[in-house]
Amino acid sequence: MTLRQATRALLLATALTHASYAAVRPMASYRAIELHAGNAGIGALSASFSVLPLLLAFTVGRQADQYGPARLVVAGSVLSTVAGVLTALANHLAVLLVASALLGLGQLTSLAGQQSAVAAGRAEDRDRGFGILTAMAAVGQIVGPVLGALCASHFAVTGDVFSATAGLAAATVLSALSLPLCWWLFPDTTARAEQRPRERVARELLRIPGMTPTLVAGGLVLAALDLVLAFLPAWAQNRGVSLTTVGLLLALRAAATLLVRLIVDRVVHQVGRRIAMIVSILVAAAGLLLLPAVHVAGAIAVMLALGVGLGVAQPLTMSWVANAVRPGRHGAAMGLRLTGNRFAQTVLPLGIGVISTGAAGVFVTLGTVLAASSAVLLRLPPDRGG
């Protein structure tokens, strides 16, 4: 297989796995609502997605250094497909929590492989490489919610239980379709780096100037996106907004993310990574603070703001981390970044779900936290894209 063919396979597999994930998450929230879960239950569902990745992300990332990224991409697609089946069959909140945890592990494994593959490339190509990789993820996030919502609406017979099942089945099919592409990548896998004590490698990475604030900001951005996926159905139900409209709003957010990621390297060239990340986080925070005050028309503007704001920060934290470490440590660095992400995705949903009242309270609290988090990036040295 040529490098170009392998790259295309990786990007297509990325789009499919993210489409599946983006469809499963809101459908799982609808299933939780059917099972009479309140804010705390939905928050627990969102947090359960991050439990196994929180414990295993650094270890999984190091496997990419030792064995190459392709094996991780394959394993992640298998785990995600199994999790989709389990979610579709769940009839109790406890089963949903287990399925969500398994889905989180599958997505973690896929992400570690995908991101390590890009990080191992040339330093001058990483902003663009991560921009394209995350743009393909955004393509999946456009297709997934719309397909899931359309299937759920079309196959509804006696109520939302059948709707959620149909949407989850569609999401599982998307994940299964990625498997042939992942197996195509598998023969190119090679061993990469020697293994050193886990704690020593982690300490070395965390001592790199600017690493900690970048990890904090990246984790909060991902947690914010997670909570939008989890709580937008509750916001919609309070306003009588249909399931199909929710899917379209999520797709609009992903479309804005897709467009901005295609030009993220140009943005970096103009203003530098630090300014780009700070401004994008503040834009996303403003959107979250406005969401409780708007209906569908206003939500369109909010989704555009979230798409741009959350879309810029993610690839830039990836490229910053990849550029900061030496060759042979890219998988470990991506694993450390994913650990920070999953820590935020575990703690923030549980805390916000408990202390906030209703979906409006969730979005106001989240927007406030996100705005405050932009201050940690002031510790990064100014740059012009380097």
Side-chain angles (χ1 to χ4, degrees):
M1 184 194 308
T2 67
L3 178 60
R4 178 172 293 185
Q5 289 173 326
T7 300
R8 288 174 178 172
L10 176 66
L11 293 176
L12 288 173
T14 297
L16 286 168
T17 54
H18 278 267
S20 176
Y21 155 76
V24 168
R25 298 307 300 280
M27 286 296 123
S29 290
Y30 275 111
R31 177 58 56 81
I33 291 171
E34 293 167 3
L35 297 172
H36 309 292
N39 266 10
I42 297 175
L45 181 64
S46 181
S48 67
F49 173 79
S50 306
V51 172
L52 293 179
L54 175 63
L55 299 174
L56 300 174
F58 186 62
T59 299
V60 170
R62 294 189 71 198
Q63 302 312 302
D65 289 330
Q66 185 174 19
Y67 300 112
R71 284 186 172 88
L72 274 68
V73 176
V74 173
S77 290
V78 172
L79 287 170
S80 296
T81 302
V82 172
V85 172
L86 185 59
T87 306
L89 298 176
N91 58 4
H92 192 279
L93 181 59
V95 179
L96 278 179
L97 295 176
V98 171
S100 180
L102 187 61
L103 180 67
L105 180 60
Q107 199 212 23
L108 159 73
T109 308
S110 294
L111 285 175
Q114 294 159 5
Q115 294 174 17
S116 297
V118 176
R122 298 187 306 173
E124 58 268 28
D125 294 335
R126 286 179 187 142
D127 282 322
R128 179 168 175 78
F130 281 117
I132 293 175
L133 181 74
T134 54
M136 291 304 293
V139 170
Q141 290 164 8
I142 294 170
V143 173
V146 173
L147 181 62
L150 289 176
C151 288
S153 298
H154 180 73
F155 289 101
V157 178
T158 59
D160 289 340
V161 172
F162 294 97
S163 298
T165 300
L168 289 164
T172 304
V173 170
L174 291 172
S175 181
L177 288 174
S178 72
L179 288 171
L181 293 167
C182 296
W183 281 111
W184 194 19
L185 293 170
F186 191 82
D188 287 342
T189 298
T190 55
R192 297 296 177 96
E194 83 286 354
Q195 293 295 287
R196 299 167 66 190
R198 166 188 170 132
E199 294 78 10
R200 181 177 176 182
V201 174
R203 285 196 299 268
E204 289 176 357
L205 294 173
L206 288 172
R207 280 199 290 264
I208 295 172
M211 180 67 77
T212 299
T214 303
L215 295 179
V216 170
L220 290 174
V221 165
L222 264 292
L225 178 56
D226 225 30
L227 283 163
V228 170
L229 290 174
F231 281 94
L232 195 62
W235 170 89
Q237 282 209 333
N238 290 339
R239 288 161 173 75
V241 176
S242 70
L243 183 151
T244 301
T245 301
V246 170
L248 291 172
L249 287 172
L250 291 174
L252 179 63
R253 194 280 311 164
T257 292
L258 167 63
L259 294 177
V260 75
R261 284 176 177 172
L262 291 175
I263 61 169
V264 70
D265 57 324
R266 301 178 193 175
V267 174
V268 170
H269 180 72
Q270 293 296 319
V271 302
R273 285 193 195 92
R274 183 181 69 159
I275 297 301
M277 285 192 286
I278 291 172
V279 172
S280 67
I281 288 173
L282 290 175
V283 168
L288 289 166
L289 290 170
L290 286 173
L291 186 57
V294 300
H295 205 271
V296 174
I300 292 174
V302 168
M303 290 298 122
L304 290 173
L306 291 177
V308 171
L310 300 178
V312 168
Q314 187 179 10
L316 293 189
T317 57
M318 291 179 191
S319 60
W320 192 97
V321 170
N323 287 343
V325 303
R326 63 179 176 83
R329 285 287 176 263
H330 289 119
M334 292 299 110
L336 185 64
R337 178 183 173 277
L338 290 168
T339 300
N341 290 349
R342 297 309 180 251
F343 179 79
Q345 288 174 302
T346 300
V347 173
L348 202 61
L350 286 174
I352 288 180
V354 170
I355 68 175
S356 302
T357 302
V362 168
F363 291 124
V364 169
T365 304
L366 181 58
T368 302
V369 171
L370 200 60
S373 75
S374 64
V376 303
L377 293 176
L378 294 174
R379 295 177 55 190
L380 293 181
D383 66 273
R384 297 296 297 178

